[in-house]
Amino acid sequence: MGSIKLFLHPEGVYGGVTTYATHLYHSLREQSYETRLYRVGARGTVHTNGVPIGGIDINTAIRLAKPGKSLVLATDRHTLELMSPIIERSRSLVLHDTPQFAKGNLLEFLQETKIPVIAIRESIKAKLELENVPATFIPHPFIATKPRMVRRLFNAVSLSRIHWWKGTHFMVEANTQLPLRKQIHIYGQENRLYMYHSLDSKYGKK
């Protein structure tokens, strides 16, 4: 089926974007594509969800990026300067959340370059089109992991960053009103400012 190169920004080690990247990697491999996943501007190789993510320098990434044979999986106002040459070479970009383009000059860049955008949510597609940025809606490529059936330990579990954007405080507030056996067990990387201002100050350290 050919080969395809997938590009992440240097921080692409964990989080929703990287989860998307690893599911897409497995999905493409199932379709017999030779697939490579890279972090632009990073060194070495990390492994996430069983997928090797190799570091690659910007010049090599630009050389490898080709329309129809590569895909840029995310950028925002912080990484656009680094990723824009690869986006323009590959003629591709995936957008996941409104904060990626709510601030900064990403919308202006997309309006000027007419880069084809993939939105993983219909709401993102609608917001982009209101800004005169056409987008194609393609859902998240979830790949089942064939989990073993085990005894259920908790009533509910949250696996997400502990952050304003994720609304973790709503779950913490709900836990204050639920009996212990029905509370949500919350796991994820902490945003320290969020923990201090929104959780520790109100609910205490736990």
Side-chain angles (χ1 to χ4, degrees):
M1 292 293 290
S3 64
I4 189 164
K5 309 294 191 298
L6 306 175
F7 297 106
L8 287 168
H9 49 72
E11 291 77 30
V13 179
Y14 42 69
V17 170
T18 306
T19 300
Y20 170 90
T22 58
H23 279 269
L24 181 60
Y25 175 95
H26 286 303
S27 180
L28 290 168
R29 299 273 288 192
E30 284 191 358
Q31 299 301 316
S32 300
Y33 282 95
E34 181 185 342
T35 310
R36 295 289 183 271
L37 180 56
Y38 299 105
R39 290 188 301 145
V40 179
R43 294 183 178 182
T45 299
V46 298
H47 290 78
T48 301
N49 296 340
V51 175
I53 309 176
I56 189 171
D57 65 86
I58 181 65
N59 292 326
T60 303
I62 292 171
R63 179 172 56 81
L64 292 177
K66 294 179 175 62
K69 294 184 178 295
S70 59
L71 184 61
V72 178
L73 301 183
T75 194
D76 57 21
R77 68 184 187 276
H78 303 296
T79 59
L80 179 59
E81 182 177 357
L82 172 69
M83 302 299 289
S84 59
I86 308 165
I87 296 169
E88 292 192 77
R89 285 274 293 178
S90 68
R91 302 296 299 172
S92 69
L93 177 62
V94 180
L95 290 178
H96 305 252
D97 295 296
T98 304
Q100 288 180 276
F101 57 85
K103 296 180 180 179
N105 59 350
L106 178 56
L107 281 177
E108 182 180 343
F109 169 78
L110 294 173
Q111 290 161 350
E112 290 178 356
T113 58
K114 309 296 183 185
I115 298 293
V117 174
I118 294 172
I120 71 165
R121 295 181 175 88
E122 291 190 64
S123 59
I124 300 301
K125 169 181 164 65
K127 289 177 181 178
L128 287 168
E129 291 180 343
L130 285 175
E131 300 291 344
N132 198 30
V133 177
T136 301
F137 167 61
I138 301 178
H140 194 303
F142 286 113
I143 297 294
T145 57
K146 300 178 182 178
R148 294 178 293 111
M149 294 299 293
V150 296
R151 184 174 62 86
R152 187 169 183 169
L153 299 177
F154 307 120
N155 181 62
V157 173
S158 169
L159 303 174
S160 173
R161 281 180 297 144
I162 299 173
H163 194 280
W164 283 282
W165 292 353
K166 301 301 183 180
T168 313
H169 50 283
F170 293 116
M171 290 183 283
V172 175
E173 177 63 28
N175 278 347
T176 66
Q177 302 177 47
L178 290 170
L180 184 61
R181 64 185 178 83
K182 290 191 175 182
Q183 288 183 5
I184 305 161
H185 289 250
I186 301 170
Y187 301 92
Q189 183 195 27
E190 299 175 358
N191 179 290
R192 295 306 179 103
L193 284 175
Y194 176 68
M195 290 291 295
Y196 178 77
H197 290 290
S198 296
L199 299 184
D200 293 346
S201 60
K202 184 175 181 179
Y203 302 102
K205 293 185 178 182
K206 296 183 180 181

